[in-house]
Structure formats: structure tokens, C-alpha cells
Amino acid sequence: MSAARGLRGVRARNESAWLLPLADPDVDTGMRRFGDDDEVDLVIVGCGAGGSTMAQRLARAGWSIVVLEAGPFWEPDRDWVSDEAGSHRLYWTEPRVIDGDDPVPLGSNNSGRGVGGSMVHFAGYTPRFHPSDFHTETLDGVGADWPLRYEDLKPYYEDIEEELPVAGQDWPWGDPHSYPHTPHPVGGNGEAFLRGALACGIEARVGPVAISNGRFGHRRHCIYRGFCLQGCKVDAKASPLITHVPDAIAHGAEIRADSMVTRVAVDPRTGLATGVHYEHGGVEHFQRARNVAVAAYSIETPRLLLNSASPQFPDGLCNDHDLVGRYLMVQGAPQTGGRFEEEVRMYKAPPPEVSSEAFYETDPSKPYKRGYSIQTVSPLPITWAEHIAAQGHWGTELRRRMTDFVHWACLGALCEFLPQPENRVTLDAEKDRRGMPVARFTYSRCGNDRRLMTAAAGTMEEILTAAGASEVMTIERYAHLVGGARMAADERHGVVDADCRTFAVPNLLITDGSVLPTQGSANPALTIMSLAARTAARLGAGARGGLRRPQREPVREPAREPAKES
């Protein structure tokens, strides 16, 4: 397919890149406004990867859509700065409680705030899940099987990769495929990875990153400024704010920012969701809707469902089988730095520019199941200082080592930690400023998780040493929360079905990373968007009001034995 023909195909289904204003910076100019009393076809909670994709797809299908987002409507040129500390306002910093044997720090690394969600400050790495990720229980005896297959998502992966768009070399792992844009130039960090991988006999590739390589519509070329995680001021890096929201607005959707949803309402007579309670400007509101989709993130989605308890759902909405909030997962994300005599300047390129999935699948010779991927990462000075301090270096020694910043390369791994029911979100006794119980996130690693983390760190140290590093250091960390409202074949094993529809409430959907039964060793953003696109396509193919009743096979009564004569 020619590049021009490919662009025509993208514009036919999503014109966001061409709708970005060249002069007026506000993409919400002229946006349609609904009233709370308007019964819209769909109200969506959250405007991140899943929520924005649903809004854009169904707005194009003619649905009336309101998206309620707790954070602000960002304007990149006005709101984002080339400063590491200045990016903290992009993160969700409202109170949460963490505990367990291995508590997970929350904030900058794994949650977002505002239109675009956490993709506003994600690194841009967008790999697909592998076919094996969809049946790990059958294949490897761990995790869970999805109620759908890789092949069910493949066409949506391809569509979203074109719309972001994704740049990278041809990909040999999982289901081998190519990408819409050619790979970006490789900086010093990527050169070190490629050199060390070659010396170790490890296959590596450039990409895949959701960063346009060249102009894309009104979006400008990447300028390699090194602040991808702080918000891309030039719109080269993809986020829903620029890849799906403009087209959704152009087709009549309303994005209502600074609106915190506190409860989902369900009619006790019909068992259907009727809308959501939310707070805007300190005032309580209720938005009526024929259908509701929750896409609020793997902590806020379970929190919202649990806080929506009622006489019909005394333990929380959709929580009849005590599954809401369970099986929350993080990826082990250790980072290993290597010091080189020559200057590396690892920040002068997209952070995840070179990667390898050579260790992604289960290796029967290893003492663990599943695997890990490796990519370049580029911590900026504040984060790098935290890495050095974690090695026990303080004061004069910390300052001395910080002067060496430009001589260090850094790699990061993503380890597939396994879903466990005890890793979960519950409601804490502490209340937030609205009087809503805050989320308590309990997390502990299992033995398989620990062995994977150790193996990944060892591989990264081997690569950097082979590349010529005179010193290496590793810090353990986490990334990418998913799970909490998992997808399954039936209500005894999950909260939603293969179409992201909750088993308990037919017109209530969950369309964020909460539904993932497993997480692979891949960043989840592309999969979340692809799942949302698939759900929207299946809804859009039906009635405009949505499928108000679950589509199930009729229940057959067991045949009765003939009554015996007395």
C-alpha cells in the first residue's frame, strides 16, 4: 500500500491529525454541549486511551457522547514545559493508600490526570501483545486465558498503529509485522544497546514508538528534545488528546473536563445503568445516559464500582462474585545504567528507541514462566539522581556522580508479573476532599515475579558490559497498572465479557486496562486502544442505543423424567 493511500485510509476513519488547529490552540472550540438532563447515548468516565477511542469511534457512528474527565483539558503549547519538575501536574496525585509485602509507589510512573490520560506522559512505546498472551494458562499453566484471541484484535492493532502513527523497523517477534512509519534515527543510548546486543547475540530492533517520523497532518516532526515523558509540546508523540479527541469533537462528542465521577446509577427495577453522579466546580451533578462506559484507570475504575454499592449490589457494583478490584497487576520494570568513557547523552532521542522481545516467551530451561522485554529508557536528571541515591550515594559523592550524567546509558525491562487475587484495590476508611473513600492498593510479588526481575536485570547488565560500560547499576521499580475488572468467559471468573460488557449490568461497559486478564511484557496502551476500538465497532454495528440486554444463548431446562405411576 502506498503512503498516500494509507493516509487516505486513516483520514477516512480518524481525521484528528488534520483537525489540530494551526493558529487557535484550543481543539475544543465549537464543541457541542449537552445538558445533564439530556439522555445521551453514552457517557464515558475518563478520557485516556480507552475512553477517547470509544468516544471517537461511536461519535462517528452517530451516537451522542459525553466524556467526563476528572482533570483539565490540556493545551500542549500553553500547559507543558521542557522541565522535569514542571511536569508533575500531569500526574494523578490525589490520596491513595498502598500496602502489601511489596507496595507500589503511585504517581508519575503509572497514572495520569487530564484529557489524554497517562498517555500524555507515557514514553511512546507501543508494542503489540503476542498471540501467546491470550492463552497463558493453557500454554504455560500460569495467568489466565482471555475470552478472545490475538486474531480478534489484530485488525484493530493495525488501525490504531496507523492512527497514532507508530514508527519502527519490521518486527520479528510474536506475530511478525511492519509499521506505518520508518524508524527514527538512533541516538547514543540506542547505539550502546545495539552494540551490546550484537556482542551478546541478542536480536534488537529500532522502535516501535508512537512518534510520527516526519509531518503527519498538522503534527510536526519530532525534534528529539528529550522531554517525551513531560508532554510533547510539538504534538509529534501520540496521545489521545491529539490522536482521537479532535475527531470525536468534530463528530459531536462533548469532552467535559474537571468533572470527577463519584457513582454509577443503576435502576433497581430494570437493572440498567441510567447515568453517573459527578462533581464539577464543587457542585454535584447527574448526567443521564442510555449506556455507561467506565475507563478511569485500574485503580479508579474499581474504586468507582465499589463506591457505587446499592441494595441491589451491597458489595459494590458488578461485585457479586468478589472480583472487582482483584487481579491487579504491575510490570516489574528494573532499570540498569552503564557508564561509558565517551559521552552518550541518552536523552537526545525518544526514550524507548531500541528494544528487544527476545526473552518475551516462556523458556523451558529457565526457573520461571513467561518472560520480559528490554528497551532503552532515558531518565532525566531528577530521576537519575534518585537512581544514584538508591545505590547509597549521598552528598559529595552524589554530586560527583551527577556530573557524569552525559556518560551514562540506561536500559529498562518490562517483566510479566502474574495476576494474583490478593493483589487488589479496596476502599479505605480515609476519605478524599469530596468525602469519597480513597483507594487502598495491596500488592505483593510471588516467587516467579522475583525470579523474572533478577533475570531481566542480569541480561541488561550483560548487554551494557558487552557494549563497553566500565560500571553498571540496577534499580528495581514497577510500571503499568492493569487489571482490577478482568475479562473472562463467564461471571464466575471475570467482571466483563469479551466485548467489555459487564456481566451484571448489560448496558455498563469497562473499556480501560482494568479488563486485561494478563499483561504480557508489553506496554499496554496500544492494546487498551485496540480493545476499545473493537468494543466500539461491535456496539456501533448494533442499535444506536446499544445492546440493552446481554446476548446469551437461551437457557435450556433439563429434560424431566416422566412421572412414575403410583
Side-chain angles (χ1 to χ4, degrees):
M1 179 186 295
S2 69
R5 185 178 175 188
L7 286 178
R8 286 196 297 270
V10 173
R11 291 193 70 167
R13 66 175 179 271
N14 181 0
E15 206 171 7
S16 288
W18 292 267
L19 292 170
L20 292 174
L22 291 172
D24 183 353
D26 296 319
V27 301
D28 59 341
T29 299
M31 180 170 64
R32 182 179 181 182
R33 307 285 179 174
F34 294 93
D36 286 344
D37 288 335
D38 292 331
E39 188 182 44
V40 296
D41 293 326
L42 177 67
V43 62
I44 302 173
V45 182
C47 198
S52 65
T53 305
M54 284 286 291
Q56 185 266 333
R57 292 304 204 254
L58 289 175
R60 271 192 170 253
W63 288 40
S64 55
I65 305 288
V66 170
V67 186
L68 298 172
E69 166 56 48
F73 204 124
W74 300 114
E75 201 292 298
D77 195 53
R78 178 191 66 215
D79 296 326
W80 300 342
V81 294
S82 298
D83 178 79
E84 190 176 1
S87 66
H88 289 178
R89 59 203 298 254
L90 303 178
Y91 314 144
W92 186 285
T93 55
E94 296 206 15
R96 289 163 173 166
V97 177
I98 58 173
D99 65 4
D101 295 339
D102 303 285
V104 177
L106 300 174
S108 63
N109 185 46
N110 47 29
S111 59
R113 170 180 170 268
V115 176
S118 59
M119 284 184 70
V120 162
H121 65 86
F122 88 139
Y125 190 48
T126 44
R128 299 181 188 181
F129 279 17
H130 286 203
S132 67
D133 288 319
F134 296 81
H135 53 102
T136 63
E137 185 176 22
T138 296
L139 189 67
D140 296 314
V142 294
D145 290 347
W146 295 45
L148 51 79
R149 306 168 302 151
Y150 169 86
E151 290 75 18
D152 297 320
L153 269 193
K154 182 175 179 176
Y156 302 99
Y157 275 142
E158 293 170 343
D159 285 351
I160 299 296
E161 285 167 350
E162 289 182 347
E163 293 168 47
L164 294 177
V166 179
Q169 288 182 299
D170 289 350
W171 208 245
W173 299 287
D175 174 29
H177 58 278
S178 58
Y179 289 106
H181 279 211
T182 56
H184 287 269
V186 175
N189 205 19
E191 289 177 351
F193 186 0
L194 289 171
R195 186 169 66 246
L198 180 63
C200 294
I202 297 170
E203 191 168 14
R205 288 287 189 277
V206 182
V209 292
I211 301 173
S212 54
N213 190 357
R215 274 192 91 89
F216 186 72
H218 292 166
R219 290 166 58 187
R220 290 159 284 184
H221 192 290
C222 176
I223 59 174
Y224 309 110
R225 56 193 277 274
F227 287 94
C228 299
L229 284 86
Q230 286 68 42
C232 180
K233 288 180 72 70
V234 300
D235 292 339
K237 188 196 77 173
S239 79
L241 177 66
I242 60 167
T243 63
H244 287 77
V245 165
D247 193 78
I249 290 173
H251 286 84
E254 178 187 356
I255 313 298
R256 198 174 298 168
D258 300 306
S259 300
M260 176 69 180
V261 176
T262 55
R263 292 178 64 87
V264 177
V266 175
D267 187 320
R269 180 180 60 84
T270 65
L272 296 173
T274 58
V276 297
H277 298 270
Y278 71 100
E279 181 189 272
H280 177 77
V283 179
E284 294 286 340
H285 297 265
F286 180 75
Q287 177 63 58
R288 299 175 64 228
R290 289 173 57 80
N291 300 277
V292 176
V294 180
Y297 187 64
S298 283
I299 289 185
E300 294 304 311
T301 289
R303 179 192 181 202
L304 176 60
L305 295 177
L306 293 172
N307 196 58
S308 300
S310 66
Q312 185 181 1
F313 296 98
D315 298 317
L317 187 57
C318 304
N319 199 30
D320 293 342
H321 297 275
D322 191 24
L323 291 171
V324 170
R326 290 194 182 272
Y327 297 102
L328 211 70
M329 294 168 279
V330 297
Q331 287 170 326
Q335 292 185 357
T336 299
R339 203 266 182 200
F340 293 83
E341 289 303 313
E342 68 276 12
E343 289 190 358
V344 176
R345 297 188 179 272
M346 59 180 167
Y347 56 89
K348 297 297 290 181
E353 63 173 338
V354 177
S355 52
S356 176
E357 291 182 347
F359 306 95
Y360 195 105
E361 307 285 354
T362 294
D363 181 344
S365 70
K366 304 298 183 182
Y368 49 79
K369 298 294 182 70
R370 304 305 294 162
Y372 53 91
S373 61
I374 299 174
Q375 58 189 265
T376 54
V377 293
S378 304
L380 292 179
I382 294 175
T383 305
W384 188 245
E386 294 170 352
H387 285 25
I388 293 175
Q391 310 299 311
H393 302 301
W394 297 92
T396 302
E397 181 62 13
L398 173 59
R399 291 195 298 273
R400 185 190 71 78
R401 286 177 173 267
M402 285 303 297
T403 64
D404 255 3
F405 175 65
V406 296
H407 289 272
W408 285 81
C410 194
L411 305 181
L414 292 178
C415 307
E416 183 178 349
F417 283 5
L418 299 176
Q420 302 177 76
E422 297 80 10
N423 291 337
R424 66 184 303 191
V425 166
T426 54
L427 297 182
D428 193 73
E430 181 183 345
K431 304 289 182 67
D432 67 9
R433 54 192 169 87
R434 303 174 189 85
M436 183 177 176
V438 305
R440 174 181 288 271
F441 176 26
T442 302
Y443 190 83
S444 302
R445 286 184 279 177
C446 66
N448 197 81
D449 298 342
R450 298 181 190 280
R451 290 188 288 273
L452 262 181
M453 185 89 93
T454 299
T459 300
M460 292 189 293
E461 291 174 2
E462 179 185 0
I463 290 170
L464 289 171
T465 300
S470 59
E471 177 185 353
V472 295
M473 65 177 185
T474 296
I475 181 172
E476 291 193 353
R477 52 190 294 284
Y478 303 106
H480 305 135
L481 274 69
V482 297
R486 71 187 332 194
M487 176 187 295
D490 60 66
E491 63 271 18
R492 293 175 296 106
H493 297 93
V495 178
V496 302
D497 65 15
D499 292 336
C500 296
R501 184 186 307 278
T502 62
F503 290 109
V505 181
N507 66 334
L508 173 63
L509 301 107
I510 301 175
T511 58
D512 61 6
S514 302
V515 304
L516 272 59
T518 57
Q519 60 178 337
S521 301
N523 302 52
L526 181 70
T527 297
I528 293 169
M529 297 182 84
S530 301
L531 277 170
R534 178 180 181 273
T535 296
R538 294 171 73 80
L539 279 175
R544 179 173 170 178
L547 301 174
R548 311 268 291 184
R549 289 284 183 268
Q551 302 300 295
R552 295 176 178 170
E553 292 295 325
V555 177
R556 296 178 181 272
E557 294 291 337
R560 296 183 178 178
E561 294 183 4
K564 295 181 180 179
E565 294 183 4
S566 56

